[in-house]
Amino acid sequence: MSTADTSPVLDHLARVLDQRRHAAPEDSYVASLHHKGLNKILEKVGEEAVEVVLAAKDAEHGGERERQAVIAETADLWFHSLVMLSHLGLDHEGVLDELARRFGVSGHDEKASRQR
């Protein structure tokens, strides 16, 4: 997989996030996050991560509503993660490239290589 294979949804979202990053904070949620700084963005990423965990716990023995909640909460986590990447001058293509690089590599081996 290369960055040319990325999802059109992620590409479109990246363009929108870039545009809104430079908007007036009172006109855009994304701009307001950037204006508040990295710590606020990281706070949102952390909140959303906790919400994903809680939704997943509910979905394990829940019904369709609980399963859809996991999808919605994961979308929130991904969104805020993309805002974080944008704030740091990074984008989803780097993440997708890293995931693609890991195909065919044992998870244990990959983790061990990061500890060196």
Side-chain angles (χ1 to χ4, degrees):
M1 176 188 261
S2 70
T3 55
D5 299 328
T6 62
S7 166
V9 172
L10 290 176
D11 293 339
H12 179 73
L13 183 54
R15 286 189 300 275
V16 170
L17 289 176
D18 188 52
Q19 292 167 353
R20 292 188 182 164
R21 177 179 183 174
H22 304 291
E26 58 275 3
D27 294 337
S28 165
Y29 174 68
V30 170
S32 72
L33 287 174
H34 284 291
H35 181 74
K36 292 173 185 173
L38 183 60
N39 282 346
K40 181 61 176 179
I41 295 167
L42 296 176
E43 179 183 310
K44 290 302 297 178
V45 170
E47 287 174 17
E48 298 303 340
V50 169
E51 290 175 12
V52 167
V53 169
L54 295 174
K57 293 291 284 180
D58 290 343
E60 184 177 28
H61 301 292
E64 186 58 27
R65 190 176 88 198
E66 289 80 11
R67 295 176 68 75
Q68 286 304 309
V70 174
I71 299 296
E73 295 300 345
T74 300
D76 290 345
L77 176 59
W78 287 13
F79 174 83
H80 287 90
S81 295
L82 291 169
V83 172
M84 175 199 64
L85 290 170
S86 171
H87 192 82
L88 296 170
L90 302 167
D91 63 28
H92 67 281
E93 290 179 355
V95 176
L96 293 175
D97 286 346
E98 176 60 18
L99 289 170
R101 183 191 66 76
R102 294 179 186 186
F103 278 112
V105 176
S106 158
H108 294 298
D109 292 342
E110 194 284 325
K111 187 173 181 180
S113 74
R114 287 187 275 151
Q115 295 174 355
R116 291 183 195 147

Short mmCIF file of all heavy atoms in Angstrom, two decimals, residues 57-92:
data_model
loop_
_atom_site.label_atom_id
_atom_site.label_comp_id
_atom_site.label_asym_id
_atom_site.label_seq_id
_atom_site.Cartn_x
_atom_site.Cartn_y
_atom_site.Cartn_z
N LYS A 57 -16.48 -2.06 25.82
CA LYS A 57 -16.88 -2.92 26.94
C LYS A 57 -18.39 -3.16 26.90
O LYS A 57 -18.84 -4.29 27.10
CB LYS A 57 -16.48 -2.29 28.28
CG LYS A 57 -14.99 -2.21 28.52
CD LYS A 57 -14.36 -3.55 28.73
CE LYS A 57 -14.66 -4.07 30.12
NZ LYS A 57 -14.09 -5.38 30.39
N ASP A 58 -19.17 -2.11 26.63
CA ASP A 58 -20.63 -2.25 26.54
C ASP A 58 -21.03 -3.10 25.35
O ASP A 58 -22.00 -3.86 25.41
CB ASP A 58 -21.30 -0.88 26.42
CG ASP A 58 -21.21 -0.05 27.70
OD1 ASP A 58 -20.93 -0.63 28.78
OD2 ASP A 58 -21.42 1.18 27.61
N ALA A 59 -20.29 -3.00 24.25
CA ALA A 59 -20.65 -3.71 23.03
C ALA A 59 -20.37 -5.20 23.11
O ALA A 59 -21.01 -5.99 22.40
CB ALA A 59 -19.90 -3.12 21.84
N GLU A 60 -19.44 -5.58 23.98
CA GLU A 60 -19.09 -7.00 24.04
C GLU A 60 -20.30 -7.87 24.30
O GLU A 60 -20.44 -8.95 23.73
CB GLU A 60 -18.02 -7.24 25.11
CG GLU A 60 -17.56 -8.68 25.15
CD GLU A 60 -16.45 -8.94 26.14
OE1 GLU A 60 -16.37 -8.22 27.16
OE2 GLU A 60 -15.67 -9.87 25.89
N HIS A 61 -21.21 -7.42 25.14
CA HIS A 61 -22.40 -8.21 25.47
C HIS A 61 -23.68 -7.44 25.12
O HIS A 61 -24.76 -7.82 25.55
CB HIS A 61 -22.40 -8.60 26.95
CG HIS A 61 -21.20 -9.41 27.33
ND1 HIS A 61 -20.99 -10.70 26.88
CD2 HIS A 61 -20.12 -9.11 28.08
CE1 HIS A 61 -19.84 -11.15 27.35
NE2 HIS A 61 -19.29 -10.21 28.08
N GLY A 62 -23.52 -6.37 24.36
CA GLY A 62 -24.67 -5.55 24.01
C GLY A 62 -25.23 -5.90 22.66
O GLY A 62 -24.83 -6.87 22.01
N GLY A 63 -26.14 -5.05 22.23
CA GLY A 63 -26.80 -5.25 20.95
C GLY A 63 -26.27 -4.31 19.89
O GLY A 63 -25.17 -3.76 20.00
N GLU A 64 -27.07 -4.13 18.86
CA GLU A 64 -26.67 -3.31 17.72
C GLU A 64 -26.40 -1.87 18.13
O GLU A 64 -25.48 -1.24 17.62
CB GLU A 64 -27.74 -3.37 16.62
CG GLU A 64 -27.34 -2.68 15.34
CD GLU A 64 -26.05 -3.21 14.71
OE1 GLU A 64 -25.70 -4.40 14.91
OE2 GLU A 64 -25.39 -2.44 14.01
N ARG A 65 -27.19 -1.32 19.02
CA ARG A 65 -26.99 0.07 19.46
C ARG A 65 -25.61 0.25 20.10
O ARG A 65 -24.90 1.21 19.82
CB ARG A 65 -28.08 0.49 20.44
CG ARG A 65 -28.06 1.98 20.73
CD ARG A 65 -29.19 2.38 21.62
NE ARG A 65 -28.69 2.21 22.98
CZ ARG A 65 -29.44 2.13 24.06
NH1 ARG A 65 -30.73 2.17 23.97
NH2 ARG A 65 -28.89 2.00 25.24
N GLU A 66 -25.21 -0.69 20.91
CA GLU A 66 -23.90 -0.62 21.56
C GLU A 66 -22.78 -0.80 20.54
O GLU A 66 -21.74 -0.15 20.65
CB GLU A 66 -23.79 -1.67 22.67
CG GLU A 66 -24.64 -1.38 23.89
CD GLU A 66 -26.11 -1.76 23.73
OE1 GLU A 66 -26.46 -2.44 22.74
OE2 GLU A 66 -26.91 -1.36 24.59
N ARG A 67 -22.99 -1.64 19.56
CA ARG A 67 -21.98 -1.85 18.52
C ARG A 67 -21.83 -0.59 17.67
O ARG A 67 -20.71 -0.21 17.31
CB ARG A 67 -22.33 -3.06 17.66
CG ARG A 67 -22.31 -4.37 18.48
CD ARG A 67 -22.76 -5.57 17.67
NE ARG A 67 -21.83 -5.91 16.62
CZ ARG A 67 -20.65 -6.51 16.80
NH1 ARG A 67 -20.25 -6.84 18.01
NH2 ARG A 67 -19.87 -6.78 15.77
N GLN A 68 -22.93 0.07 17.37
CA GLN A 68 -22.85 1.32 16.62
C GLN A 68 -22.19 2.42 17.43
O GLN A 68 -21.51 3.30 16.88
CB GLN A 68 -24.24 1.75 16.15
CG GLN A 68 -24.76 0.92 14.99
CD GLN A 68 -23.81 0.92 13.81
OE1 GLN A 68 -23.37 1.96 13.34
NE2 GLN A 68 -23.48 -0.27 13.31
N ALA A 69 -22.35 2.38 18.75
CA ALA A 69 -21.69 3.36 19.62
C ALA A 69 -20.18 3.22 19.53
O ALA A 69 -19.45 4.22 19.56
CB ALA A 69 -22.16 3.21 21.06
N VAL A 70 -19.68 1.99 19.39
CA VAL A 70 -18.23 1.79 19.22
C VAL A 70 -17.76 2.45 17.94
O VAL A 70 -16.71 3.11 17.91
CB VAL A 70 -17.86 0.28 19.23
CG1 VAL A 70 -16.38 0.08 18.92
CG2 VAL A 70 -18.21 -0.35 20.55
N ILE A 71 -18.53 2.30 16.88
CA ILE A 71 -18.19 2.92 15.59
C ILE A 71 -18.15 4.44 15.75
O ILE A 71 -17.19 5.11 15.32
CB ILE A 71 -19.19 2.52 14.49
CG1 ILE A 71 -19.18 1.01 14.27
CG2 ILE A 71 -18.95 3.30 13.20
CD1 ILE A 71 -17.87 0.46 13.75
N ALA A 72 -19.19 5.01 16.36
CA ALA A 72 -19.26 6.46 16.53
C ALA A 72 -18.12 6.98 17.39
O ALA A 72 -17.49 8.01 17.07
CB ALA A 72 -20.61 6.85 17.13
N GLU A 73 -17.83 6.30 18.46
CA GLU A 73 -16.75 6.74 19.36
C GLU A 73 -15.38 6.59 18.69
O GLU A 73 -14.50 7.42 18.87
CB GLU A 73 -16.80 6.00 20.69
CG GLU A 73 -18.03 6.28 21.53
CD GLU A 73 -18.21 7.73 21.93
OE1 GLU A 73 -17.27 8.54 21.81
OE2 GLU A 73 -19.32 8.08 22.36
N THR A 74 -15.21 5.53 17.90
CA THR A 74 -13.95 5.35 17.18
C THR A 74 -13.78 6.45 16.14
O THR A 74 -12.67 6.97 15.96
CB THR A 74 -13.88 3.95 16.54
OG1 THR A 74 -13.99 2.96 17.58
CG2 THR A 74 -12.58 3.75 15.78
N ALA A 75 -14.87 6.84 15.48
CA ALA A 75 -14.81 7.95 14.53
C ALA A 75 -14.37 9.23 15.24
O ALA A 75 -13.55 9.99 14.72
CB ALA A 75 -16.15 8.15 13.84
N ASP A 76 -14.91 9.47 16.45
CA ASP A 76 -14.49 10.64 17.23
C ASP A 76 -13.01 10.58 17.57
O ASP A 76 -12.29 11.59 17.47
CB ASP A 76 -15.29 10.76 18.52
CG ASP A 76 -16.75 11.13 18.31
OD1 ASP A 76 -17.10 11.58 17.20
OD2 ASP A 76 -17.53 10.96 19.26
N LEU A 77 -12.53 9.40 17.95
CA LEU A 77 -11.10 9.23 18.29
C LEU A 77 -10.23 9.47 17.06
O LEU A 77 -9.22 10.18 17.14
CB LEU A 77 -10.85 7.84 18.86
CG LEU A 77 -9.40 7.48 19.16
CD1 LEU A 77 -8.77 8.45 20.16
CD2 LEU A 77 -9.31 6.04 19.67
N TRP A 78 -10.61 8.89 15.94
CA TRP A 78 -9.83 9.10 14.72
C TRP A 78 -9.82 10.56 14.34
O TRP A 78 -8.78 11.11 13.96
CB TRP A 78 -10.39 8.26 13.58
CG TRP A 78 -10.13 6.79 13.68
CD1 TRP A 78 -9.66 6.08 14.77
CD2 TRP A 78 -10.34 5.83 12.65
NE1 TRP A 78 -9.58 4.76 14.46
CE2 TRP A 78 -9.99 4.56 13.18
CE3 TRP A 78 -10.80 5.91 11.35
CZ2 TRP A 78 -10.08 3.40 12.42
CZ3 TRP A 78 -10.90 4.75 10.59
CH2 TRP A 78 -10.53 3.51 11.13
N PHE A 79 -10.98 11.21 14.41
CA PHE A 79 -11.07 12.63 14.06
C PHE A 79 -10.11 13.46 14.90
O PHE A 79 -9.32 14.25 14.39
CB PHE A 79 -12.51 13.13 14.25
CG PHE A 79 -12.66 14.60 14.05
CD1 PHE A 79 -12.81 15.13 12.78
CD2 PHE A 79 -12.64 15.48 15.14
CE1 PHE A 79 -12.93 16.50 12.58
CE2 PHE A 79 -12.76 16.84 14.95
CZ PHE A 79 -12.90 17.35 13.68
N HIS A 80 -10.17 13.28 16.21
CA HIS A 80 -9.31 14.07 17.09
C HIS A 80 -7.84 13.70 16.92
O HIS A 80 -6.97 14.55 17.07
CB HIS A 80 -9.78 13.97 18.54
CG HIS A 80 -11.04 14.74 18.78
ND1 HIS A 80 -12.29 14.18 18.63
CD2 HIS A 80 -11.24 16.04 19.10
CE1 HIS A 80 -13.20 15.09 18.88
NE2 HIS A 80 -12.59 16.23 19.15
N SER A 81 -7.56 12.44 16.58
CA SER A 81 -6.19 12.04 16.28
C SER A 81 -5.69 12.74 15.02
O SER A 81 -4.53 13.17 14.94
CB SER A 81 -6.09 10.52 16.10
OG SER A 81 -6.39 9.87 17.31
N LEU A 82 -6.56 12.89 14.02
CA LEU A 82 -6.20 13.62 12.81
C LEU A 82 -5.95 15.09 13.09
O LEU A 82 -5.05 15.71 12.52
CB LEU A 82 -7.27 13.43 11.74
CG LEU A 82 -7.37 12.03 11.15
CD1 LEU A 82 -8.62 11.89 10.30
CD2 LEU A 82 -6.13 11.67 10.35
N VAL A 83 -6.75 15.68 13.99
CA VAL A 83 -6.51 17.07 14.40
C VAL A 83 -5.14 17.18 15.06
O VAL A 83 -4.37 18.11 14.78
CB VAL A 83 -7.63 17.59 15.33
CG1 VAL A 83 -7.28 18.96 15.90
CG2 VAL A 83 -8.97 17.63 14.60
N MET A 84 -4.80 16.22 15.92
CA MET A 84 -3.50 16.22 16.58
C MET A 84 -2.37 16.14 15.56
O MET A 84 -1.41 16.90 15.62
CB MET A 84 -3.40 15.04 17.54
CG MET A 84 -2.03 14.87 18.20
SD MET A 84 -1.78 13.22 18.87
CE MET A 84 -1.84 12.20 17.39
N LEU A 85 -2.50 15.21 14.61
CA LEU A 85 -1.48 15.09 13.58
C LEU A 85 -1.33 16.41 12.82
O LEU A 85 -0.21 16.87 12.58
CB LEU A 85 -1.82 13.95 12.61
CG LEU A 85 -1.69 12.54 13.17
CD1 LEU A 85 -2.29 11.54 12.19
CD2 LEU A 85 -0.25 12.20 13.49
N SER A 86 -2.45 17.01 12.45
CA SER A 86 -2.44 18.28 11.73
C SER A 86 -1.72 19.36 12.54
O SER A 86 -0.91 20.12 12.00
CB SER A 86 -3.87 18.71 11.42
OG SER A 86 -3.91 20.01 10.91
N HIS A 87 -2.00 19.40 13.82
CA HIS A 87 -1.38 20.41 14.68
C HIS A 87 0.15 20.25 14.70
O HIS A 87 0.88 21.23 14.82
CB HIS A 87 -1.95 20.30 16.11
CG HIS A 87 -1.59 21.46 16.97
ND1 HIS A 87 -2.27 22.66 16.93
CD2 HIS A 87 -0.61 21.62 17.89
CE1 HIS A 87 -1.73 23.50 17.80
NE2 HIS A 87 -0.72 22.89 18.39
N LEU A 88 0.59 19.01 14.57
CA LEU A 88 2.03 18.71 14.59
C LEU A 88 2.66 18.76 13.20
O LEU A 88 3.84 18.44 13.05
CB LEU A 88 2.26 17.34 15.23
CG LEU A 88 1.84 17.23 16.70
CD1 LEU A 88 1.89 15.79 17.16
CD2 LEU A 88 2.71 18.12 17.58
N GLY A 89 1.86 19.13 12.20
CA GLY A 89 2.38 19.20 10.84
C GLY A 89 2.53 17.84 10.18
O GLY A 89 3.31 17.66 9.24
N LEU A 90 1.78 16.87 10.68
CA LEU A 90 1.79 15.51 10.15
C LEU A 90 0.42 15.22 9.53
O LEU A 90 -0.50 16.01 9.67
CB LEU A 90 2.09 14.51 11.27
CG LEU A 90 3.40 14.74 12.01
CD1 LEU A 90 3.46 13.92 13.28
CD2 LEU A 90 4.58 14.43 11.10
N ASP A 91 0.31 14.07 8.86
CA ASP A 91 -1.00 13.72 8.31
C ASP A 91 -1.21 12.21 8.30
O ASP A 91 -0.32 11.44 8.67
CB ASP A 91 -1.22 14.32 6.92
CG ASP A 91 -0.26 13.80 5.87
OD1 ASP A 91 0.22 12.65 6.00
OD2 ASP A 91 0.01 14.53 4.91
N HIS A 92 -2.38 11.81 7.88
CA HIS A 92 -2.76 10.40 7.89
C HIS A 92 -1.91 9.55 6.97
O HIS A 92 -1.76 8.36 7.20
CB HIS A 92 -4.25 10.26 7.51
CG HIS A 92 -4.55 10.63 6.10
ND1 HIS A 92 -4.67 11.94 5.70
CD2 HIS A 92 -4.73 9.88 4.99
CE1 HIS A 92 -4.93 11.97 4.40
NE2 HIS A 92 -4.97 10.74 3.95
#
